[in-house]
């Protein structure tokens, strides 16, 4: 029987309860796929700090490097706001992304038909959107040196090398080739030197991908266009910080940040799967938040890390069928409709994937 070793890092806030739902769905698929998911849990972020460890404990990193895939909930909690910056929970996640060289973050933004009215935008603007945000994940402002903070002055450095831009651009072109063959590279090349290098490099990579039509957009314009006419986008390629911001913005096209899954991939088949949203500590332990982003991240794991594309589609179908049945968490429920808890949403989706239908619906 095929076995797949998954390092599970529930993390902080709502992390544990949303990860539990994704695991439920994976477990429900074991008999259908005839495989076994070997789960090994470890601490990261605030959960590691609680146990007197650094935000990315050595044993957690080792487990992740040895695993076939990493499945993460979320990190961060207000209670660590005053800790030394290098011990903040978020550092655990950033160090893990860097140590695993997960430079490509894929965030699919898709309109689910039953949720057209859950978005703050008009249904006709979002009906049919299908965007892949390709965010560079291990460079830019998040990691650039020098970096300094003193009481009266502080700075970060937006720094990119050409090879860093080349490798993420190749991922984005490959995505575009599999999809609608349109790639929009987002930068701020009218102002920033790092963006000028970014644009030149993307142009060079484009020469090897003549079947993809490439456009460039300044990030301020892209933020506006995403709301004005999101259907113009197929694949969006952008650097780390712009991608962080634009993907949160784009998630509202789906109705909720709670719907936005993500896969972070790198060399050597390493990959981590996590929802794009944060740890929402104020909702922790209330069985309230939307686990769909985390469940859909597990679907991305099945597809990208383990080659079960069909099972990923079953999860997508199960999510759609759950939404169609009007089963929703508070963030996507229509006014006056009944609200379902995190764990029950997990049950509903797990129930549907254990008896998958052959085609999408
Ligand atoms: C995300 C998150 C992280 C980021 C935080 C938690 C460090 O916002 O994955 O989008 O900024 O990358
Ligand atoms: Mg973010």
């Amino acid at each position: 029987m095929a076995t797949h070793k998954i390092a599970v890092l529930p993390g902080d806030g709502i992390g544990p309860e949303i990860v539990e739902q994704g695991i439920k769905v994976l477990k429900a698929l074991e008999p259908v796929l005839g495989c076994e998911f070997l789960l090994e849990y470890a601490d990261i972020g605030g959960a590691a700090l609680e146990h007197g460890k650094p935000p990315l404990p050595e044993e957690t990193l080792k487990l992740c490097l040895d695993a076939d895939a990493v499945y993460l909930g979320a990190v961060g909690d207000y209670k660590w706001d005053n800790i030394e910056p290098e011990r903040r929970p978020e550092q655990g996640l950033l160090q893990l992304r860097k140590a695993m060289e997960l430079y490509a973050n894929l965030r699919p933004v898709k309109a689910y038909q039953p949720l057209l009215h859950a978005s703050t935008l008009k249904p006709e603007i979002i009906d049919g959107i299908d965007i892949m945000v390709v965010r560079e994940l291990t460079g830019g402002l998040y990691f650039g040196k020098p970096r300094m903070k003193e009481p009266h002055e502080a700075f970060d450095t937006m720094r990119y090398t050409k090879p860093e831009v080349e490798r993420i651009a190749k991922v984005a072109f490959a995505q575009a080739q599999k999809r609608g063959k349109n790639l929009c590279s987002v930068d701020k090349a009218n102002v920033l030197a790092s963006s000028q290098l970014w644009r030149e490099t993307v142009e060079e990579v484009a020469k090897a991908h003549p079947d993809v039509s490439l456009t460039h957009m300044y990030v301020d314009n892209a933020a506006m266009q995403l709301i004005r006419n999101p259907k113009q986008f197929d694949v969006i390629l952008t650097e780390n910080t712009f991608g962080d911001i634009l993907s949160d913005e784009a998630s509202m096209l789906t109705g909720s940040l709670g719907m936005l899954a993500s896969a972070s991939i790198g060399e050597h088949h390493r990959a981590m799967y996590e929802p794009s949203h944060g740890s929402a500590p104020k909702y922790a332990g209330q069985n309230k938040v939307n686990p769909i982003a985390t469940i859909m991240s597990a679907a991305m794991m099945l597809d990208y890390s383990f080659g079960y594309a069909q099972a990923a589609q079953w999860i997508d179908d199960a999510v759609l069928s759950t939404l169609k049945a009007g089963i929703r968490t508070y963030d996507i429920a229509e006014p006056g409709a009944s609200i379902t808890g995190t764990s029950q949403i997990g049950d509903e989706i797990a129930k549907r994937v254990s008896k998958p239908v052959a085609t999408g619906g």
Side-chain angles (χ1 to χ4, degrees), residues 10 18 42 62 72 185 297:
I18 51 177
K62 185 170 179 325
L72 183 136
S185 174
S297 302

Side-chain angles (χ1 to χ4, degrees), residues 121-177:
L121 299 180
K122 293 191 191 112
E124 63 270 26
I125 301 287
I126 53 175
D127 188 10
I129 56 154
D130 184 358
I131 304 172
M132 179 65 89
V133 179
V134 179
R135 169 189 177 196
E136 200 290 328
L137 203 60
T138 52
L141 281 178
Y142 279 55
F143 296 96
K145 301 267 175 6
R147 172 191 165 96
M148 187 276 272
K149 180 167 179 294
E150 282 179 359
H152 299 288
E153 191 190 354
F155 55 78
D156 300 280
T157 305
M158 191 184 279
R159 181 169 185 274
Y160 273 103
T161 64
K162 196 163 171 155
E164 282 177 321
V165 183
E166 270 164 5
R167 63 183 185 177
I168 188 71
K170 284 180 188 160
V171 171
F173 276 102
Q175 282 293 321
Q177 280 175 326

Side-chain angles (χ1 to χ4, degrees), residues 75 90 93-94 97 107 135 137 142 244 248 274 276:
V75 293
E90 291 81 358
L93 176 59
L94 298 181
R97 289 172 178 170
R107 297 187 163 180
R135 169 189 177 196
L137 203 60
Y142 279 55
D244 182 44
D248 261 37
E274 54 167 322
S276 303

Side-chain angles (χ1 to χ4, degrees), residues 334-357:
E334 275 159 46
S338 72
I339 291 172
T340 305
T342 310
S343 171
Q344 290 69 36
I345 297 278
D347 293 342
E348 292 288 342
I349 296 172
K351 181 174 85 188
R352 286 168 167 81
V353 291
S354 55
K355 307 189 219 76
V357 282

Side-chain angles (χ1 to χ4, degrees), residues 45-66:
L49 295 170
E50 297 280 5
H51 294 137
K53 300 184 218 164
L56 176 62
E58 237 170 80
E59 62 272 21
T60 299
L61 175 58
K62 185 170 179 325
L63 183 75
C64 293
L65 292 172
D66 291 342

Side-chain angles (χ1 to χ4, degrees), residues 13 17 19 61 63-64 66 79 81 96 118 137 159 161 169 176 192 235 247 258 263-264 282 321 323 334 339 350:
E17 55 201 285
V19 160
L61 175 58
L63 183 75
C64 293
D66 291 342
K79 70 177 166 212
D81 275 354
L96 183 58
L137 203 60
R159 181 169 185 274
T161 64
L192 303 174
V235 178
S247 60
S264 304
K282 69 174 180 192
S321 129
L323 296 173
E334 275 159 46
I339 291 172

